[in-house]
Amino acid sequence: MKKISIITPIYNGSRFTESIVNNAEGLYKEIKNYGYKVELICVQDKPDEVLKFKIPSCIEFKLIKNDINLGIQHSRVKGLKEATGMYIIFLDQDDKLIPVNYISQLKKIKNADVVVGNFYNDINGKKRLIYKNRKALNFAVQENTLLKDANTIISPGQCLIRKNKIPKQWCNSIMKVNGADDWMLWLLMYNSGAHFSVNAKPVYYHRTTAIGNLSSDDSNMHNSENEMLSILHKVGYPQSKLNSLKNTINFNRRSIHNFSVKFLVNSMPQIYCKFKLLYLKHI
């Protein structure tokens, strides 16, 4: 039987365990008639945290406990190694799936390796659709956009990924600084020949309750981007693409207000400030 594995790292997330399980159960109820099972893999990244789960019999469940705090990418990779599903969803602990729209994800992935869905950003209960239309979403998922604009595939949670297309280079290159690991995943997948497709329907809510220190997070992202460049160089990523990526990162560093001008003009100039924050991983 076909199966989707949801991989969710948990850190200071005991209050989210019920909604994490609800994500998996709700997804199963929507896709079971299409012959799919759902596997939920939670990776506990804070060793002394007490987590309690009430697992319904309809989903498969695994809890992986890290001996030390390993960070989000390492935790995702550990979950991936235990996953038995043919498709993967990397979902953050505080995010919420929209299961009714996942049938459209499954239909799209028949002819793709990654399906990038639309999603709502939920800031303190105020919901906004991130990509204004299909044109904006199509632009966001292009390899050229990822190389020459920024990481416009905002979160792995909006993606349904074919497990056997996740590059070993990404799994074996654990970043020390969180932030750019998903950007590196998309670049390595494109470079390995993966086919990306889009789904204009919103597939989940990305929830945010607060915005952190901008200068601190900006510096952290800069360090993560530099680490990504170093890793890509070590794994033999094409020099021409690496040069484009380096120029993009440097340009965005010098003039973040010019970030993704083409993307915003073509799709949603009215929320320029929000996308500037998205680039910094604040929402």
Side-chain angles (χ1 to χ4, degrees):
M1 181 176 279
K2 297 170 288 188
K3 187 187 300 181
I4 295 177
S5 296
I6 302 173
I7 299 173
T8 302
I10 301 176
Y11 185 88
N12 281 338
S14 58
R15 66 190 183 280
F16 297 117
T17 55
E18 183 178 357
S19 63
I20 289 170
V21 173
N22 288 343
N23 280 329
E25 185 178 17
L27 180 61
Y28 171 76
K29 289 179 179 178
E30 289 295 331
I31 66 175
K32 63 180 180 179
N33 292 334
Y34 292 81
Y36 281 87
K37 287 185 176 181
V38 173
E39 175 182 58
L40 174 62
I41 301 175
C42 293
V43 184
Q44 182 177 333
D45 199 29
K46 186 178 182 182
D48 60 349
E49 188 171 15
V50 178
L51 300 177
K52 297 180 180 180
F53 298 90
K54 293 182 179 180
I55 307 299
S57 59
C58 62
I59 64 171
E60 301 175 18
F61 178 73
K62 296 175 183 175
L63 177 62
I64 300 171
K65 297 183 179 181
N66 294 340
D67 294 329
I68 58 173
N69 173 231
L70 296 177
I72 192 165
Q73 184 197 3
H74 202 163
S75 295
R76 284 171 175 164
V77 170
K78 287 188 71 174
L80 183 64
K81 290 178 179 178
E82 296 295 324
T84 58
M86 62 190 301
Y87 302 123
I88 302 295
I89 305 172
F90 290 121
L91 200 65
D92 290 345
Q93 63 185 11
D94 54 347
D95 291 339
K96 182 181 178 181
L97 288 180
I98 305 176
V100 69
N101 285 343
Y102 244 84
I103 303 303
S104 58
Q105 289 283 83
L106 292 173
K107 290 179 179 178
K108 293 281 186 179
I109 205 166
K110 290 180 180 179
N111 299 309
D113 302 310
V114 185
V115 179
V116 184
N118 210 337
F119 69 97
Y120 292 104
N121 190 51
D122 184 340
I123 305 179
N124 297 322
K126 296 181 179 180
K127 302 177 179 63
R128 285 193 177 184
L129 195 64
I130 293 300
Y131 304 94
K132 183 179 179 182
N133 50 42
R134 182 179 290 273
K135 180 180 178 181
L137 190 51
N138 278 326
F139 182 85
V141 304
Q142 298 301 312
E143 182 182 21
N144 198 52
T145 306
L146 294 168
L147 286 171
K148 296 183 178 181
D149 283 87
N151 182 17
T152 43
I153 302 176
I154 306 302
S155 171
Q158 70 189 100
C159 302
L160 184 63
I161 308 171
R162 199 178 291 272
K163 182 187 175 186
N164 63 5
K165 292 296 182 176
I166 297 176
K168 291 183 179 179
Q169 293 168 320
W170 183 77
C171 297
N172 296 333
S173 303
I174 303 300
M175 299 186 67
K176 296 178 182 179
V177 185
N178 289 332
D181 53 286
D182 51 339
W183 196 358
M184 184 169 70
L185 173 59
W186 313 136
L187 293 170
L188 288 172
M189 290 192 74
Y190 259 120
N191 196 57
S192 66
H195 175 62
F196 284 62
S197 182
V198 301
N199 177 16
K201 289 187 177 181
V203 295
Y204 90 117
Y205 294 97
H206 185 63
R207 293 186 284 193
T208 303
T209 55
I211 293 178
N213 181 278
L214 296 180
S215 60
S216 174
D217 288 351
D218 185 31
S219 176
N220 194 67
M221 177 57 73
H222 184 43
N223 292 335
S224 186
E225 289 168 345
N226 285 336
E227 184 181 8
M228 174 182 68
L229 290 172
S230 177
I231 290 173
L232 290 174
H233 176 73
K234 288 179 182 178
V235 301
Y237 191 69
Q239 190 62 47
S240 59
K241 293 182 179 181
L242 197 60
N243 289 341
S244 292
L245 186 62
K246 188 180 299 185
N247 289 338
T248 295
I249 290 172
N250 288 337
F251 176 78
N252 289 337
R253 286 295 117 199
R254 292 192 305 268
S255 183
I256 194 168
H257 290 289
N258 290 329
F259 154 69
S260 289
V261 171
K262 179 170 60 173
F263 177 63
L264 294 165
V265 168
N266 287 343
S267 57
M268 45 188 152
Q270 72 277 18
I271 53 172
Y272 169 78
C273 290
K274 184 172 72 172
F275 252 83
K276 187 166 65 175
L277 291 176
L278 279 169
Y279 171 67
L280 296 175
K281 296 292 183 180
H282 298 316
I283 58 177

